[in-house]
Amino acid sequence: MPIAVDIDVMLARRKMSVGELADRVGITPANLAVLKNGRAKAVRFTTLAALCEVLECQPGDLLRWEAGEAGEAGESRDAVDAMDG
């Protein structure tokens, strides 16, 4: 997936454990691990906002786009373009 998740970076900067972050955000450690390891297909804005609040950061500190998997991104754009008519 072309979206990379940098939660580990912010956890290290804040000297916070995954368990503590999960507790403070209100999600299970297992769900946080799925997100942290880049296996999540989506993230709710409420969850992203809670992560940013607890970690005192911006969404761009946690998520970034990486070039290289254009096939997935191109397919998604084609589907949106087709819906637009």
Side-chain angles (χ1 to χ4, degrees):
M1 175 179 280
I3 302 296
V5 181
D6 291 328
I7 292 175
D8 281 340
V9 174
M10 293 307 297
L11 283 170
R13 287 182 183 167
R14 302 297 184 251
K15 297 183 173 115
M16 187 180 298
S17 70
V18 172
E20 180 183 352
L21 179 60
D23 285 343
R24 292 179 61 185
V25 169
I27 61 176
T28 66
N31 283 340
L32 181 57
V34 167
L35 179 60
K36 183 175 75 73
N37 295 323
R39 295 189 316 262
K41 298 290 183 187
V43 61
R44 290 187 172 140
F45 282 162
T46 54
T47 302
L48 183 57
L51 287 165
C52 290
E53 183 177 352
V54 170
L55 293 170
E56 298 178 353
C57 66
Q58 294 294 312
D61 296 326
L62 301 177
L63 304 173
R64 65 187 155 78
W65 179 78
E66 289 184 337
E69 297 188 38
E72 288 180 16
E75 291 169 10
S76 297
R77 277 195 299 270
D78 292 343
V80 170
D81 291 343
M83 291 189 310
D84 289 340

